[in-house]
Amino acid sequence: MATQARIGLIVPSSNCLSEQQFHRYAPAGVDIQVTRIRMTSAWHKPLAELETVIAEAAAALSDTRPDLILFNCTGTSMEEGLEGEARIRAMVETASGCPSLTTSEAINETLKLLGLRTLVLISPYAKATNLHEIAYLKEAGFNVVHDFALGLAGGQSYIAVSPARWKEIVLENLRADADGYFLSCTNTTMIETIDELEERLGKPVVTSNQAALWACLKRLKIAQPIAGLGRLFNQYP
């Protein structure tokens, strides 16, 4: 199959679902290439201490000649706010010579596009990670009216949570004053819940990988609806 465009992904080393989901949902002809770095759980470090490994990963990924590189980790890209997000993008672009974006930028863009200002945040994380995501979202102009952290230990436990369980968790955390729901983390099955939840809730649902794929395709000027990915994929301004 002819390659229409190529997206490079930088993901945490324990992430088993981003690559799978990008391959599943990306339009025909969009090639996905992936590299991994140790940046979460036991290898969690401040951004300044990750600079060398991020640069090495971006440089290696540039050998595939991607049209765009996505730094695809929600927690790390949000942890040090908008300034940290910009630093990650600069690290990747300097090392690779390729345009780049972060998961946090993609989420910020999609929430604004959908007109969501008040949010419910759902994640598999420890509460502390939710708190720094709430701080990022506040800095970006959003108000989290309620959050739920499942408190799981890391990658493999995130993967083990079924789409059915994520739907239950969202429905257990409804808030009438929320404009929409943000389901955070790139290493979960949350993306499989979007259509059913939007139908049940009557409100938009944004997940990390859904938002990241949308933002990548927007930059690549590949605009088309994709089944299963909710209202967002009918929004290409």
Side-chain angles (χ1 to χ4, degrees):
M1 181 181 298
T3 298
Q4 182 179 3
R6 176 168 292 129
I7 299 170
L9 300 183
I10 298 174
V11 301
S13 54
S14 61
N15 187 309
C16 296
L17 293 182
S18 287
E19 181 175 9
Q20 178 187 126
Q21 291 171 5
F22 267 65
H23 278 294
R24 174 179 174 182
Y25 290 105
V30 177
D31 182 44
I32 310 298
Q33 299 294 329
V34 181
T35 194
R36 301 171 184 279
I37 64 176
R38 286 176 160 170
M39 58 176 152
T40 58
S41 299
W43 297 282
H44 177 264
K45 297 176 183 178
L47 190 53
E49 296 178 35
L50 289 172
E51 184 167 358
T52 298
V53 292
I54 291 172
E56 288 174 349
L61 195 53
S62 73
D63 292 344
T64 68
R65 299 181 180 239
D67 297 288
L68 178 71
I69 292 179
L70 168 67
F71 182 88
N72 200 34
C73 178
T74 316
T76 302
S77 61
M78 287 189 177
E79 186 168 7
E80 297 187 21
L82 295 175
E83 181 182 354
E85 168 187 275
R87 286 172 60 201
I88 293 170
R89 184 176 64 251
M91 290 177 198
V92 173
E93 291 184 346
T94 298
S96 68
C98 301
S100 77
L101 76 156
T102 66
T103 316
S104 55
E105 289 177 284
I107 291 161
N108 189 343
E109 289 178 16
T110 58
L111 294 175
K112 287 176 178 173
L113 178 67
L114 291 166
L116 307 184
R117 290 296 175 180
T118 57
L119 306 170
V120 170
L121 166 65
I122 305 288
S123 86
Y125 307 135
K127 183 67 172 181
T129 303
N130 267 28
L131 291 176
H132 80 234
E133 294 200 356
I134 291 168
Y136 168 90
L137 290 164
K138 181 178 180 180
E139 185 182 3
F142 306 101
N143 178 32
V144 176
V145 295
H146 175 70
D147 76 291
F148 176 83
L150 194 51
L152 300 180
Q156 293 305 308
S157 56
Y158 296 178
I159 293 166
V161 182
S162 69
R165 178 60 185 137
W166 284 120
K167 282 184 276 190
E168 289 176 355
I169 289 169
V170 173
L171 295 173
E172 290 165 1
N173 287 274
L174 300 183
R175 291 297 183 276
D177 52 344
D179 297 327
Y181 292 76
F182 169 42
L183 281 54
S184 178
C185 185
T186 61
N187 195 32
T188 74
T189 59
M190 292 167 167
I191 199 169
E192 298 178 42
T193 70
I194 295 169
D195 275 359
E196 186 174 341
L197 282 174
E198 287 193 339
E199 185 176 352
R200 292 278 299 272
L201 302 172
K203 295 180 180 181
V205 173
V206 171
T207 78
S208 293
N209 281 339
Q210 168 217 31
L213 178 60
W214 180 90
C216 288
L217 296 178
K218 177 187 173 187
R219 284 162 171 75
L220 295 170
K221 303 189 186 310
I222 302 172
Q224 64 184 70
I226 295 177
L229 295 185
R231 301 183 188 188
L232 176 61
F233 272 80
N234 292 313
Q235 305 282 336
Y236 275 96

